[in-house]
Structures are given as structure tokens and as C-alpha cells.
Amino acid sequence: MRPVDLMLDEENELKFKVNVDGSRPGTASSRFVVEGPEMDFVFKGASAGQGEISVVIPSLKNILKEGLYDTHLEVVVDDKIFVPLEMKANFEKSVSVTAEAVVRQPRKKTTASAVLVEAP
């Protein structure tokens, strides 16, 4: 599976289609996990209707560095945790352009002068 590209300095929304089958209905909740180098980050999923789950990932620009991270979707039904989807996410900074005015020191004007040294 190809990595999913996400913006590191912007909010991202992911939607997943999830189907929970079983002999008895249970209470299901979901969460999306980003596995960081030192700690994991968990984002709660919300039902988006018709078997869809929506997960909002806030800006992580001061928390994570750009790069490829392991992620997975967890679905919790009663007291059991299921991992129906594992994938890689590529976090990148969005393109930005900055400009700055450069103030130059005024140049000294070039001048020429002459002096009569000797008169006949």
C-alpha cells in the first residue's frame, strides 16, 4: 500500500469505511494511532454515518519531524481491540514562500575635482 501524504503544519481529516460484524451488537469506538519515534499519538474517531469513521489530525508541526511514520486504525468493540487497517503516513510541511526587504546603504556619489598646479 502506498503511503498517505499528510500535511505536518495543517489539520488533516481522514475517513475510513468500517464494518463491524458479530453475533451480538456491541458498542464500538475508534481511534487512529501515529507511531512516533519516542511516543505514539492517538486521535479519536467519530462516526460519520453509514459505516464511516472520521478522524481529525491537528497540526503536528512542533511535535513531529517530516518523514514516514507507521499508523493504524483501532476499533474497540466492548473490551476487544481490533486493528483492521495498518498503513504508512508521510508527514510533510506545506510549501511556503517568504520574502524580506533588503535595505541597501546609499552609495557615495562619485565626484571628481581638479586643481590648477601651475600657471604659465
Side-chain angles (χ1 to χ4, degrees):
M1 178 183 248
R2 196 173 77 92
V4 174
D5 292 328
L6 299 173
M7 294 291 112
L8 193 59
D9 50 356
E10 294 177 9
E11 185 177 272
N12 297 280
E13 181 180 12
L14 299 174
K15 287 195 176 186
F16 302 97
K17 193 120 177 128
V18 176
N19 187 16
V20 178
D21 289 328
S23 60
R24 62 186 177 110
T27 306
S29 63
S30 62
R31 55 192 180 200
F32 186 71
V33 180
V34 177
E35 298 175 13
E38 297 167 7
M39 68 179 81
D40 295 345
F41 301 93
V42 179
F43 304 98
K44 187 173 180 155
S47 176
Q50 297 182 346
E52 286 189 359
I53 294 173
S54 173
V55 178
V56 176
I57 302 171
S59 169
L60 300 171
K61 69 179 177 179
N62 295 326
I63 301 169
L64 288 179
K65 294 181 181 176
E66 284 185 294
L68 208 57
Y69 293 89
D70 290 326
T71 63
H72 61 269
L73 179 68
E74 293 181 350
V75 178
V76 181
V77 180
D78 293 332
D79 60 347
K80 295 180 183 173
I81 297 175
F82 298 92
V83 181
L85 179 67
E86 293 181 8
M87 61 185 192
K88 300 257 186 209
N90 183 29
F91 283 92
E92 307 175 318
K93 290 182 182 175
S94 58
V95 177
S96 64
V97 177
T98 58
E100 170 178 320
V102 177
V103 180
R104 294 187 177 195
Q105 298 296 331
R107 287 181 163 179
K108 292 185 178 180
K109 293 185 179 180
T110 306
T111 58
S113 60
V115 177
L116 183 60
V117 179
E118 217 176 284

